[in-house]
């Protein structure tokens, strides 16, 4: 996706740089009947490509191996996102652990979350990065006023938050929304 920020795709390229993908034109056969993104009563033709079970059978090699590696990367990011959902809700409601478990379960078993986490899509990275940024902002806002931290620790915390937001911006343009929350967090701390 040339119109998207490159971080997720660059990480996928790094993970698969050692694989010969010269068979891409043979493996990638676009589905001319795809209805991806459309809500239809039939719920058919959602695949962007036509799959060949024989060519995609294990043991994988070439482009098929590269695709599986990047999909496993997405699955790992999805697991991280579920954990961060649990951590964020635990931070917001520390006396109600059932809420954190419920939120994590809803996240983990929402069909679209499962779909995105098993596909090659930059949403797989923007979700955990956004969740991590929000978790850190909530922790900063919830910090007790009498809980003094050193100026250096505060600076490092701010730099880490900025780095995560920067990575989010390099992953997907919608990461820009995190800047408003970061500004609100910094304004709260200053107040």
């Amino acid at each position: 996706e040339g119109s998207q920020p490159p971080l997720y795709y660059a990480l996928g390229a790094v993970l698969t740089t050692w694989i010969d993908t010269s068979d891409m034109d043979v493996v990638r056969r676009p589905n001319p009947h795809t209805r991806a993104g459309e809500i239809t009563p039939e719920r058919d033709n959602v695949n962007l490509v036509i799959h060949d079970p024989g060519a995609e059978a294990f043991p994988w090699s070439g482009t098929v191996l590269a695709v599986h590696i990047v999909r496993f990367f997405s699955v790992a990011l999805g697991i991280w996102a579920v954990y961060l959902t649990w951590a964020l809700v635990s931070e917001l409601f520390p006396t109600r652990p059932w809420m954190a478990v419920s939120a994590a379960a809803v996240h983990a078993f929402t069909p679209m979350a499962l779909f995105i986490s098993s596909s090659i899509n930059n949403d797989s990275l923007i979700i955990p990065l956004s969740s991590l940024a929000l978790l850190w902002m909530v922790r900063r806002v919830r910090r007790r006023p009498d809980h003094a931290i050193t100026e250096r620790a505060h600076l490092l915390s701010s730099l880490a938050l900025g780095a995560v937001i920067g990575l989010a911006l390099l992953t997907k343009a919608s990461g820009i929304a995190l800047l408003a929350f970061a500004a609100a967090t910094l304004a709260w701390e200053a107040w």
Side-chain angles (χ1 to χ4, degrees):
E1 292 189 19
S3 64
Q4 296 284 347
L7 182 60
Y8 172 82
Y9 302 104
L11 292 172
V14 167
L15 289 171
T16 59
T17 190
W18 55 277
I19 301 170
D20 176 12
T21 57
S22 59
D23 62 341
M24 174 72 83
D25 292 335
V26 175
V27 173
R28 186 179 184 278
R29 296 182 318 156
N31 179 357
H33 307 291
T34 188
R35 296 171 80 174
E38 294 180 35
I39 299 173
T40 63
E42 300 85 22
R43 291 183 168 85
D44 63 349
N45 277 313
V46 296
N47 289 330
L48 297 176
V49 296
I50 297 171
H51 292 276
D52 179 356
E56 296 174 21
F58 190 82
W60 307 307
S61 63
T63 298
V64 174
L65 175 61
V67 167
H68 278 84
I69 287 172
V70 179
R71 289 179 74 182
F72 286 137
F73 173 57
S74 291
V75 168
L77 292 171
I79 292 167
W80 185 34
V82 170
Y83 165 75
L84 289 168
T85 297
W86 173 85
L88 180 59
V89 176
S90 291
E91 186 71 31
L92 290 169
F93 304 100
T95 61
R96 297 186 181 119
W98 63 270
M99 289 181 78
V101 171
S102 299
V106 167
H107 183 151
F109 298 111
T110 297
M112 189 52 116
L114 289 168
F115 176 77
I116 291 298
S117 293
S118 65
S119 64
I120 297 176
N121 189 311
N122 59 357
D123 290 332
S124 297
L125 183 57
I126 191 67
I127 294 167
L129 287 174
S130 297
S131 298
L132 181 61
L134 291 172
L135 174 62
W136 287 354
M137 287 185 254
V138 166
R139 285 182 177 168
R140 289 174 74 136
V141 167
R142 290 181 52 94
R143 186 173 43 233
R144 295 189 329 241
D146 63 337
H147 179 73
I149 62 169
T150 65
E151 189 174 316
R152 178 181 172 160
H154 189 264
L155 176 63
L156 289 175
S157 171
S158 297
L159 289 173
L161 178 59
V164 169
I165 292 172
L167 292 172
L169 289 168
L170 288 171
T171 300
K172 194 160 180 134
S174 59
I176 199 163
L178 292 170
L179 293 174
F181 290 104
T185 299
L186 294 174
W188 174 265
E189 287 181 324
W191 178 70

